[in-house]
Amino acid sequence: MKFLHTSDWHVGKTLKGRNRLEEQARILREITQIAIDNDVDVVLIAGDIYENASPTADAQRLVVRTLLRLAKHGIEVILIAGNHDHAATFEAYRPLMDIAGIHVYGQARPAAKGGVHTFHARSTGEPVNVAVLPFLSQRYAVRAAEIIANTPSQNVGAYDQLVRDVLANLTGAFTSDAVNIIMAHLTCTGGTFGGGERPAQSIMEYHVPAAVFPVEAHYVALGHLHRRQQIPAACPVHYSGSPYAIDFGEQNNTNVVCLVEATPNTPAQITDIPVTAGRRLRTVEGTVAQLTSDPAGYGEDYLRLVVTQPAYAGMRDDLYEALPNALQILIHPDHASTGATAGISVDQPIKTPVQLFADYCHSVGVSDDRVTALFNQLHDDLTRSTARP
């Protein structure tokens, strides 16, 4: 049987205020056509379907139409919530989506209560088991472990052990006559960040080693890290990556979907299929004269400009007028001067809230792990898009 693995669509994502919904529509049409052309049995979407927990009506319309088009062609569709998605809303629409042949999972559940989706591949008749694990924050992992694995994990134990307990329950439903797949949205230890992930839910407390995935799995379809990569493990563990560059930190990523072929008795064969509908993000450096000398040469690329000369009054307007696809202007640090860069960013690394809070604690002489833990908990509650179970 054949299936397509994709993730991290982030539909509704804007970039420096630029609406990208039309671009995202082209990308999803391309992914859908790849699935149809390759006559896949199932499409697995491993989380972060939307950019945020309250997607616009237009963003939801685009996703729903994409899913329905896949289902209309007889393709099984299975998707899970990522940390950007609103898990409770996914669960609310689950009964309706099931009728359409679209299987949505917002929250983790035991194998006995639907945590493993089982079907027969239309092309071969082979049974397929897909263990689904939507994103779990550190706090909700404890609750999930208690509900699913019946373990007395009362706020103790490492995050990876809690995930192990959940996966042990789910993969206990795997059978030797089937193609057994795990789909999860999480950070695997050793994985390389793509550049646009949400740092608060990708830090060390959220890492799990690839050893959590059992050798019985024919394939592990991961979402969350935006870079296409394979994680060394006893079974094939893959991130498909995002199908387009989410932010300028991802401008050099290769955007693909993974076409996977597997049988119950043979290893999975993975083929990367490029996704080319997304607009390229490009950082270019030079003086104003150099940057604006050949506007047509940039094509439709979105630009981040790094200016290698001192700022002058009206420079920002000159650049945006000459280069309408420029989304950000930075002054190279060698040419930055006090008071000369109003409205223009200086090229400096952006710190995460966790790093900023650590800097603040250091500045006021506070060194207390309990304070740090409380901040992380509060930050998780604010950035966590899933309603409390």
Side-chain angles (χ1 to χ4, degrees):
M1 55 89 65
K2 292 191 291 187
F3 61 91
L4 205 66
H5 167 207
T6 180
S7 71
D8 297 278
W9 290 357
H10 290 271
V11 175
K13 168 71 175 178
T14 62
L15 183 58
K16 311 301 179 185
R18 188 68 60 96
N19 189 311
R20 304 181 72 183
L21 201 62
E22 183 179 339
E23 176 191 7
Q24 291 158 357
R26 295 197 305 269
I27 293 163
L28 296 194
R29 283 196 297 269
E30 183 177 6
I31 292 173
T32 301
Q33 197 59 50
I34 290 171
I36 294 169
D37 291 346
N38 285 278
D39 196 25
V40 301
D41 297 292
V42 59
V43 171
L44 305 179
I45 311 169
D48 281 357
I49 287 79
Y50 295 108
E51 167 59 15
N52 56 58
S54 301
T56 65
D58 287 340
Q60 294 182 68
R61 187 178 298 111
L62 172 56
V63 169
V64 169
R65 287 178 175 174
T66 299
L67 301 178
L68 287 173
R69 186 182 175 206
L70 289 167
K72 182 179 178 181
H73 281 81
I75 298 171
E76 198 94 4
V77 181
I78 309 173
L79 64 151
I80 59 175
N83 56 300
H84 282 248
D85 301 312
H86 195 272
T89 299
F90 276 36
E91 289 294 319
Y93 281 99
R94 187 170 180 236
L96 185 61
M97 288 291 195
D98 277 342
I99 294 172
I102 301 163
H103 309 287
V104 176
Y105 294 86
Q107 297 171 345
R109 64 193 73 235
K113 295 185 177 180
V116 177
H117 179 74
T118 298
F119 66 99
H120 285 80
R122 60 173 181 164
S123 62
T124 63
E126 295 166 328
V128 182
N129 298 313
V130 182
V132 290
L133 182 58
F135 177 76
L136 294 175
S137 74
Q138 193 172 32
R139 294 178 68 196
Y140 299 105
V142 175
R143 180 174 173 82
E146 292 170 345
I147 293 173
I148 294 176
N150 295 318
T151 59
S153 51
Q154 298 176 355
N155 297 313
V156 296
Y159 180 82
D160 68 90
Q161 184 59 52
L162 299 174
V163 174
R164 285 176 197 265
D165 293 340
V166 173
L167 285 173
N169 174 273
L170 297 176
T171 58
F174 283 175
T175 55
S176 59
D177 65 335
V179 175
N180 298 307
I181 302 167
I182 298 171
M183 179 165 58
H185 192 91
L186 48 76
T187 304
C188 219
T189 306
T192 302
F193 281 46
E197 298 86 355
R198 183 173 286 170
Q201 290 159 348
S202 308
I203 55 180
M204 200 61 196
E205 287 83 353
Y206 286 100
H207 283 224
V208 297
V212 301
F213 303 114
V215 68
E216 292 81 10
H218 290 82
Y219 185 85
V220 178
L222 297 181
H224 188 48
L225 299 187
H226 293 178
R227 181 171 297 182
R228 170 70 182 104
Q229 58 194 294
Q230 180 178 6
I231 305 298
C235 59
V237 177
H238 290 261
Y239 285 97
S240 66
S242 177
Y244 66 106
I246 302 297
D247 208 336
F248 283 103
E250 302 182 12
Q251 63 184 13
N252 296 320
N253 289 357
T254 300
N255 305 119
V256 305
V257 291
C258 300
L259 178 66
V260 186
E261 298 181 65
T263 76
N265 303 312
T266 58
Q269 301 295 317
I270 300 99
T271 303
D272 288 356
I273 300 180
V275 178
T276 60
R279 293 175 71 161
R280 181 185 174 192
L281 306 187
R282 197 195 316 188
T283 299
V284 289
E285 185 173 309
T287 64
V288 172
Q290 291 169 335
L291 292 170
T292 59
S293 62
D294 182 22
Y298 299 122
E300 293 298 310
D301 297 352
Y302 285 136
L303 305 176
R304 176 170 61 179
L305 309 179
V306 180
V307 183
T308 57
Q309 70 175 68
Y312 60 82
M315 185 176 78
R316 184 173 182 272
D317 292 336
D318 289 346
L319 286 168
Y320 281 136
E321 182 178 356
L323 303 171
N325 285 335
L327 303 187
Q328 186 177 19
I329 301 172
L330 306 172
I331 300 295
H332 193 282
D334 290 347
H335 299 277
S337 60
T338 303
T341 58
I344 303 176
S345 300
V346 177
D347 190 11
Q348 295 178 346
I350 298 174
K351 293 189 175 183
T352 67
V354 173
Q355 292 169 327
L356 290 171
F357 184 72
D359 289 347
Y360 170 76
C361 288
H362 178 74
S363 70
V364 296
V366 172
S367 178
D368 190 328
D369 291 341
R370 295 172 300 172
V371 173
T372 301
L374 179 59
F375 176 84
N376 289 339
Q377 178 180 313
L378 292 172
H379 188 272
D380 184 61
D381 285 345
L382 288 172
T383 58
R384 173 65 174 160
S385 61
T386 304
R388 179 173 299 188

